[in-house]
Amino acid sequence: MAKKYGMIIDLHRCVGCGACDLACKSENNTPVGIDWASHKIETYGVFPKVTYTHTPTLCNHCEDAPCVRVCPTHAMHKTEEGFVVHDPSICIGCKSCMLADPYGVIFFNKTDAFSDYVSDDSSIVKGGTFSKKELSDKAKAPFPNFNAARGAGGYEAIRRKGTVEKCTFCNHRVAQGLSPACVVACPADARIFGDLNDEKSQIATTLKAHKPTVLLPEKGTNPKVFYIRSYN
Amino acid sequence: MSINRRDFLKTTAGTAAVASTLSIFPEVVEAKTGELKYEGEAGKWVSTTCQGCTSWCPIQGLVVDGKVIKVRGNPNSPSGGRICPRPHLALQQVYDPDRVKTPLKRTNPKKGRGIDPKFVPISWDEAINTIADKIMELIKAGETHKYMLMRGRYTNLNEIMYNTFPKLIGSPNNISHSALCAESEKFGRYYTEGFWNYADFDLDNTRYILGWGADWVASNRQTPWFMHQFGKVKDRAKITTIDPRLSATAAKSHRWLPVIPGEDGALAIAIAHVILSEGKWNKSFVGDFADKVNYFIPEKEVPTEIELDGKVIPVVFEEKHTHGVIAWWNLELKDRTPEWAEKLTGISAKEIREVAREFAEAGSRAISWVTPGTAMQPRGAYASLAAHALNGLVGSVDAVGGILQGNSVPSVAAPDVKPYLSEEIAKALKNKKIDQRGTKGFPAINQKSGGGVVTSRVAQAMMDKNPYDIKVAIGYWNNWVFSTNGANVWEKAMETLPFFAHVTTNIAEMTMYADIVLPAKMHLFERFGFVTNKQNLHGYMSIHQPLVKPYGDAKTDETEVPFLLAQALAKKGYDAPLRYFQDNFKDPQSGKIPETSEEFDLFAVKYFTKAIWSGESNEKGDTINSWEELLDKGVWKTKKFKPGKKIDNFKTETKKFEFYSETLKKVMIEHAEKNKITVDEAFEHANYTCKGEVSFVPHYEPAVRHGDEATYPFIFSEHRSRLNREGRSQNSPWYYTTKNVDPGDENEKDVTKINPLDGKKLGLKNGDKIRISSIQGSLESEVKLWEGTRPGVVIKCYGQGHWAYGRVGSEVFGSKPRGGNNNQILIHEYERLSGTNPRAGGFARVKIEKI
Amino acid sequence: MQLLWDVRVSLDLFLGGLGVGAFLVGVILYYVDVKNYEGFVKKSFVIAPLLVIAGLLLLLTELGRPLNVIKTIYAVNPTSFMSIGIFLQSAFVAVALLIAFKALTSGVSSLSSKIIYAGAILAGLVGLYHGFLLSGIAKEPWNNAIPVIFFISSILAGSSLMILLNLDSLENLVARFKLPLIINMILTLELAAVFAWVYNLALTTASSKHAYDVLISSFSMEFWVLSILIGLIAPLVIFTLVILNKLSLKAVAIPTFSIIVAGSFFLKNLVVYLGQAV
């Protein structure tokens, strides 16, 4: 049976720290303003009866993905394993996918990310502190902590100007038998990643044991990111 | 595809033992150290230590092609290898474009905030010689005590730069930052159970956590471990969080008690009152009345005798493992009803009773968890004492499911410096320390009068030249101009300092007053070092090692800098430090004498960690048999701490858990005698209101508030960010893109959280620009109306407001801050018994103006 | 509000709509009486592809990787209206250019009616496509009323534009067609479609109600005044007065047909923005 990957986020275990968001940034070389992994926060009630919730978010890798449906070139597409991924080489940058995506998890590269590391040679103290350019020159990399491994399988390790990008469920890592970066980085072990089609997998058994919810179920997208239990 | 347990074990054969016993890793983790083929040929996970907060977590960095590109927890860590958001930010810290890359010299003699120092690059040689000349001048003039070393964050290699080097050049003034940290928290534990340290908690078995300002999923200690455990603890135990702000932890707790800042002590006292008056104390730990009748009747003293059927019989309390419960009741608790506390704390009497009952019913598995939020207040020593004493009432001290001390880690002491001190130098060391510790105003009774540092007093002492003037100072890994309350006091003090050298990664606020700037290696990824700490009931030692070579010409502050200075001093005719270093810090493996600063750095860390890597400590915990193995594993941990052995063997005067602190009494009598005042006067000088016997039991002290209510209607309260790397992550763009993980805060902003009711009164709406002023100073901020704020209290996170540090952290480097530094409005104030700088407790009243 | 599609998209939909509207009005006159209306028809056939191409060029500047558009030829996604639309528009532009070329070189009468017919079908499909481009995204305000609203708007604006360009033959036109009556019918139809759209938003689901709220609160000027009052109701009233002989068509032709054209832009721009504001 084909693999079908999904993720559970256990909100009871989640402490809302954002380590997932940051681990994603260092894994996927996303520039400021583009956060494949992110979160929603909400405060409601009136003092002193106040409730605060934090819900980690990422691409839901929907079974019925609206972004895939509207993409004019199939640049946004589904793989056999159920990942919704994007091929920048045929993307025309029309942003239809972003408009169709009800979750706001697709991002457009307005500029060439990290180009400041190519051009910015200004420094606080001339000759005494670094500049961005000097650092990337010394590192011989687009920026010093650039993760070249993100470029596995021909994917652009840093997405150039003019196309969209989004969470890939760290397909480059999964291909190596590793969990996505956000899963490994979660200090609370709030995330479970695995094959939904394998009945014995932790994700499948956990889904059975709980009443999972998904974001915006009314959109009929059939997300593969599930949430269990409550934050509070 | 191979995502299953079996393959996980296969790929992580080396670390599987650790990981599986702790079983906290998800099914699939990264491959073990050095076997990460897909990351590239050179990819290797290397162990080191994160000191972004006080958790001091063993972590690993992925090194590819000479660069560190990712971080994760060290699987050998006692907490199983989890990290919080902070180490991720460290990637942007080590690769901060604004880092100092070469020594700098000040060319503008004028010093002051906003004044450009006009730094120019110089060689290490010139920089070190300049400092060495200054030290030689002091030696020649016979005033070596006028040298001062200021230490901020540190590794245990501070033995060189902080402990021995000042002594070797004849200065008693090695000033640490400890008083900015949490000394008054330790006060509570020391004067009840004789333990001047941080506690550990048996989370596996606890049933109740009463957290005093404890934001344990976000900050302070063992943070990633506590984050990992929170969900599990919540399944088993009830969690109550006391905090004026709906903190990250309060948001996930069963109960949130939004106490009025500074009134934590009243709450603790009232809880104790309920526990005793309702007979809910732990009888097997505290003991009981001989006749099993509860004589703790509100508003009445426990009688010494009663008449029963015409017979006079004495009332006897058979106290077991504690000391002075009757005294505590009679001197303080009897009148401290929940109704009394309701008015002070803003928490209803009903809720105080409920919490007291729930807490006491969990018995020895109930933890009263004191943190700096409750302790770091102008009169926080007694709040700390009172809140910690609750553990004594329920018998959770050193109990299964309770609050524990922990195992210590074997260490190697620094070699004796005495043989290297001339008579003159030895005499100079007898000078009083600059910080006025142990004086009337600053008892700093860390186990004895003047036993602790009064970090912030140094500023005033320098300006007043009392007890003398400081002529030459070196600071490292510190930024007190930014990080101490009443920041403007330090700004002025630094202007008066004739010569200052700063060893730092960034040009911080303090650096702006430096004559010489020395670029420091970044602790996490570039240098050697080690720390000892506790997590998950294990003591542990974690190593720092250079994962990458600094791009600039940076050196290790704690070893290389003093070695270079020692070499320079030797050339100039004073060779004691160099002899001491070279005689004592030969390579423990090869016996080689250190000739360069790099060698000294390496040999020193080997020297101080030898008790671990030599294998001699294997019986006490993990097995490590060589230096190389220590570098590979990165961490050594003790066996798990077993509770129960401390009871009746506490390091107090009575060996009991003291509600009536004979230990405090003894120290205060000594302190009073030393200063030729009465004990009551001693307390008065320390800004406490107590007189007589009540001083030695946990009792209520009115909160200190500076500024009159009419002019300054709001109480200012501050908190920490889960992204703060102790004020060093603010030049990292990721800090701002993720800032709203602190409940109530906003990305890219430094907001002030105000209850919507107060907002309405002031006519403020979200995003309005405001000026907040106290009697100390003011800052500019932006309004965030937020229900998680107690009305009457305005709350702001600490960390932003840098006017230096870098171009991300400041709006205009060197002059205009980004956001506002709370220390500009927090009053330059002390908790004098412990010498600490308060930052909590609402001691600054503020007014808010729309701008 | 994150504006992913800005005014360039609105302009594409507007100019493209003008183009197909102009083309279709040309087709009608071609079939009715090509000899009588030769000048008009010629203008229509020449201007139509230019307008559509102008719109497409503007759209290209909106794309992040315009050069990759060439790849849409082989990278086809049948569920994407944009993918289909690219083919439709290319086909229309090709056919319309051919017609324009022939009309210019050999005259309108030399055109084969088959190719005109093909062009008309393509123009109709493109006219519908403009709305489906949005409704295919499935944003709340971009529901299935939009293709109808946009198509009618295109026809209104395209014919109005052509009338403005042929004012000297206005009498000739009116002689055969009761222009005010025809235009009023179409305006009424458009008003009905817009009403259905708004009604649907206001009453259907929580999210559609939210869209309605945004429309009413943030876009009321653009919607009620520019799109409805000026673009539809004002011409309706004016033409009614013309029909009642209170006004002369000649006197009001220029301003009235102009506001119909402008109204089409306002309406389309409003819809493009509204979809992104909710």
Side-chain angles (χ1 to χ4, degrees), chain B residues 188-195 285-286 319-325 328 368 384-398 403 405 646-663 698:
Chain B
R189 264 173 235 126
Y190 184 77
Y191 290 106
T192 49
E193 58 171 297
F195 181 56
F285 188 76
V286 183
E319 200 159 359
K320 285 188 174 166
H321 307 300
T322 60
H323 173 77
V325 68
W328 191 16
S368 175
S384 172
L385 206 59
H388 186 62
L390 297 178
N391 292 306
L393 287 183
V394 295
S396 61
V397 182
D398 201 28
I403 181 164
Q405 296 193 359
K646 308 277 179 193
I647 292 167
D648 288 345
N649 199 24
F650 293 114
K651 287 183 179 150
T652 54
E653 286 299 303
T654 58
K655 295 199 185 301
K656 303 281 184 185
F657 185 95
E658 295 181 341
F659 296 125
Y660 181 96
S661 184
E662 304 286 357
T663 313

Side-chain angles (χ1 to χ4, degrees), chain B residues 328-525:
Chain B
W328 191 16
W329 176 267
N330 288 348
L331 289 166
E332 172 69 11
L333 294 182
K334 64 179 173 20
D335 302 320
R336 302 310 195 188
T337 60
E339 285 71 19
W340 163 81
E342 177 174 314
K343 289 186 215 87
L344 295 163
T345 60
I347 308 296
S348 74
K350 179 171 165 282
E351 195 154 22
I352 295 174
R353 281 206 170 80
E354 281 169 12
V355 168
R357 286 171 194 150
E358 287 168 0
F359 175 76
E361 275 155 19
S364 63
R365 290 170 188 256
I367 295 172
S368 175
W369 180 327
V370 182
T371 73
T374 288
M376 297 295 276
Q377 308 183 356
R379 290 178 182 143
Y382 280 96
S384 172
L385 206 59
H388 186 62
L390 297 178
N391 292 306
L393 287 183
V394 295
S396 61
V397 182
D398 201 28
V400 170
I403 181 164
L404 312 174
Q405 296 193 359
N407 291 330
S408 60
V409 175
S411 60
V412 179
D416 193 4
V417 295
K418 277 200 197 97
Y420 297 86
L421 306 181
S422 68
E423 223 171 283
E424 222 175 319
I425 293 287
K427 203 176 137 221
L429 292 181
K430 298 234 157 57
N431 278 293
K432 281 184 179 160
K433 293 195 187 230
I434 184 72
D435 61 349
Q436 302 174 358
R437 66 183 72 174
T439 59
K440 278 188 258 186
F442 301 94
I445 48 170
N446 171 346
Q447 312 178 48
K448 62 172 193 191
S449 172
V453 64
V454 194
T455 311
S456 210
R457 189 59 187 172
V458 173
Q460 198 61 46
M462 284 193 324
M463 287 189 282
D464 296 347
K465 303 190 189 338
N466 174 18
Y468 45 79
D469 57 327
I470 292 291
K471 287 189 168 168
V472 177
I474 300 182
Y476 82 90
W477 212 344
N478 69 334
N479 191 17
W480 298 341
V481 172
F482 182 85
S483 63
T484 57
N485 57 31
N488 51 346
V489 177
W490 270 96
E491 286 168 11
K492 284 200 196 77
M494 291 305 291
E495 284 173 25
T496 67
L497 183 57
F499 182 83
F500 175 54
H502 204 207
V503 197
T504 183
T505 57
N506 287 60
I507 300 177
E509 282 74 6
M510 202 144 174
T511 322
M512 298 297 275
Y513 298 86
D515 298 276
I516 296 286
V517 182
L518 300 175
K521 287 178 179 167
M522 196 266 191
H523 76 277
L524 236 167
F525 303 119

Side-chain angles (χ1 to χ4, degrees), chain B residues 528-638:
Chain B
F528 282 112
F530 72 103
V531 296
T532 57
N533 206 352
K534 64 181 78 164
Q535 286 191 4
N536 185 20
L537 308 187
H538 296 272
Y540 67 92
M541 186 269 267
S542 182
I543 196 98
H544 305 68
Q545 59 181 310
L547 275 63
V548 297
K549 220 172 120 21
Y551 284 137
D553 199 2
K555 299 204 186 291
T556 306
D557 39 22
E558 292 176 326
T559 51
E560 291 186 82
V561 170
F563 189 82
L564 291 169
L565 283 172
Q567 282 181 318
L569 288 170
K571 271 191 201 147
K572 294 177 199 296
Y574 183 68
D575 68 350
L578 188 63
R579 274 191 293 120
Y580 172 79
F581 291 156
Q582 292 191 323
D583 289 354
N584 293 291
F585 295 94
K586 301 187 180 95
D587 185 351
Q589 286 176 303
S590 69
K592 187 176 184 312
I593 294 170
E595 300 290 348
T596 65
S597 66
E598 289 85 359
E599 281 179 345
F600 177 68
D601 182 42
L602 176 63
F603 300 168
V605 70
K606 281 189 192 174
Y607 174 90
F608 284 113
T609 56
K610 198 177 168 201
I612 300 298
W613 57 262
S614 64
E616 65 195 76
S617 302
N618 288 351
E619 279 177 17
K620 292 178 184 159
D622 290 352
T623 302
I624 287 184
N625 285 314
S626 70
W627 165 246
E628 288 71 25
E629 192 179 353
L630 174 60
L631 288 185
D632 184 46
K633 287 189 172 161
V635 61
W636 177 93
K637 61 181 180 297
T638 66

Side-chain angles (χ1 to χ4, degrees), chain B residues 786-836:
Chain B
W786 194 54
E787 290 287 356
T789 315
R790 174 174 260 292
V793 180
V794 297
I795 302 180
K796 192 172 158 296
C797 184
Y798 167 74
Q800 297 185 55
H802 281 282
W803 53 271
Y805 218 81
R807 289 174 289 179
V808 178
S810 59
E811 208 163 298
V812 179
F813 177 85
S815 54
K816 194 166 182 226
R818 173 175 183 174
N821 179 8
N822 291 355
N823 283 321
Q824 285 173 210
I825 50 175
L826 286 177
I827 317 300
H828 192 71
E829 172 57 290
Y830 301 85
E831 191 298 297
R832 291 159 191 265
L833 288 180
S834 61
T836 56

